[in-house]
Amino acid sequence: MKIGAFVDAHCHVDLFERPDQIIAEAETKRLYTIAVTNVPSVFRHTAMLVSHCRYVRPAIGLHPELVHSHGNQIEMLQPLLKETRYVGEIGLDYTTADKYLRNIQRNIFTRILGWCAEYKDKVLTLHSRRAVADTIAAVGKDYPGRPILHWFTGTVRELEQAASNGLYFSVNFAMVQSKKGQLLISRMPVERVLTETDGPFVKFHSHPAKPSDINHVLEGLANLWHISFEETREKVLANFRSLLGVVSDRESSSHNKGKEIV
Ligand SMILES: [Zn+2]
């Protein structure tokens, strides 16, 4: 299994108008893409779309904003965990003020985290909008897996907590463009930073960001880090290799390239 040349750690491939084109482009450009899904009932379809791929991996997920309508699919999720190493989109979203819904979200998220912990090596891509503190607390310290906070929008203090707990961050075009995003990125440990498009939700100028727009995220990161595009690309790849390769000791992940378990 090849890691490729670029990393898109969070992309909704199945929600593009032409997923086949997005997938073909990712393959041609050797763009390692985690194809997240929002409900368990679409996982098999996405897995089939990418079954021939060297670089695109399907993830099984249950988006927190969909638990009110699709929460009953939670039982469908557990057996599907056997079919992929990747899990997402999962997490918490407190844009709803409804305490009952927030409770259901926490319940579902905790159950998924518990199931994934048994595998010890799952790569999880986590949503945490307005719920960063609870998301970090639910994952806890030294979680037996590889949690990635996607599109982190919390405070610097929360960021430091997440980093000290061993979490990774995947950053997108919206983040490298905004003042707040830039400030947060500058506080992230460089060895924990990955890139994502979150397409088609994040827009790149007028069109939905595709995995091939990852170049623009790398350009933004290169500016913030004051290094070249090529060095930035290599750093992100090395970070991704560490994330995938270290099974037992995540604290030393930045020093240990380990073996690749993809
Ligand atoms: Zn997403």
Side-chain angles (χ1 to χ4, degrees):
M1 182 60 225
K2 296 272 189 286
I3 298 289
F6 300 93
V7 176
D8 185 350
H10 187 110
C11 181
H12 295 264
V13 167
D14 62 339
L15 299 182
F16 280 86
E17 222 165 275
R18 291 286 308 266
D20 56 326
Q21 288 177 356
I22 301 296
I23 292 163
E25 198 174 81
E27 287 289 294
T28 311
K29 299 199 161 141
R30 298 174 47 232
L31 219 149
Y32 201 99
T33 304
I34 300 179
V36 294
T37 54
N38 284 343
V39 289
S41 54
V42 303
F43 171 75
R44 281 254 162 79
H45 176 69
T46 303
M48 195 187 67
L49 284 176
V50 305
S51 58
H52 63 287
C53 291
R54 295 179 72 190
Y55 301 107
V56 188
R57 289 289 167 273
I60 170 81
L62 181 46
H63 196 291
E65 284 183 290
L66 296 176
V67 299
H68 66 283
S69 53
H70 295 76
N72 58 354
Q73 290 193 18
I74 179 73
E75 300 301 337
M76 201 190 288
L77 188 143
Q78 187 183 18
L80 291 170
L81 288 170
K82 284 197 295 289
E83 300 185 19
T84 181
R85 185 177 176 191
Y86 299 92
V87 181
E89 178 158 2
I90 58 168
L92 301 174
D93 189 309
Y94 288 176
T95 42
T96 172
D98 187 325
K99 285 196 174 130
Y100 175 72
L101 274 183
R102 288 184 177 187
N103 241 328
I104 300 179
Q105 287 185 18
R106 280 193 295 270
N107 211 304
I108 284 183
F109 184 43
T110 310
R111 288 179 73 188
I112 299 172
L113 286 172
W115 292 332
C116 291
E118 290 170 24
Y119 289 85
K120 300 201 172 11
D121 70 342
K122 292 288 190 211
V123 174
L124 302 102
T125 171
L126 308 177
H127 178 108
S128 59
R129 183 162 50 194
R130 298 196 190 164
V132 173
D134 278 7
T135 305
I136 296 170
V139 175
K141 194 165 170 57
D142 299 324
Y143 178 80
R146 319 293 152 73
I148 307 166
L149 284 168
H150 118 84
W151 201 342
F152 179 86
T153 53
T155 63
V156 169
R157 211 196 156 106
E158 288 164 339
L159 186 153
E160 286 167 356
Q161 179 67 55
S164 86
N165 283 5
L167 278 69
Y168 280 72
F169 303 89
S170 56
V171 309
N172 59 41
F173 188 64
M175 292 174 77
V176 297
Q177 287 289 94
S178 77
K179 278 274 167 283
K180 184 182 179 191
Q182 290 172 3
L183 168 76
L184 289 170
I185 291 166
S186 71
R187 303 298 286 265
M188 290 172 186
V190 170
E191 71 277 8
R192 296 278 182 74
V193 175
L194 304 170
T195 45
E196 66 166 44
T197 55
D198 200 17
F201 295 110
V202 168
K203 300 276 184 281
F204 174 65
H205 298 309
S206 55
H207 70 264
K210 316 183 274 182
S212 54
D213 289 318
I214 214 73
N215 271 355
H216 306 293
V217 182
L218 285 170
E219 278 160 14
L221 275 180
N223 280 336
L224 290 170
W225 287 345
H226 306 292
I227 56 175
S228 71
F229 177 90
E230 190 51 27
E231 284 170 306
T232 308
R233 188 185 70 79
E234 279 171 11
K235 263 194 198 307
V236 171
L237 267 184
N239 295 347
F240 194 58
R241 272 195 208 100
S242 287
L243 172 97
L244 294 179
V246 180
V247 177
S248 54
D249 184 5
R250 210 175 55 245
E251 283 310 300
S252 67
S253 62
S254 59
H255 310 292
N256 183 359
K257 296 293 181 278
K259 61 181 191 303
E260 287 171 9
I261 304 158
V262 191

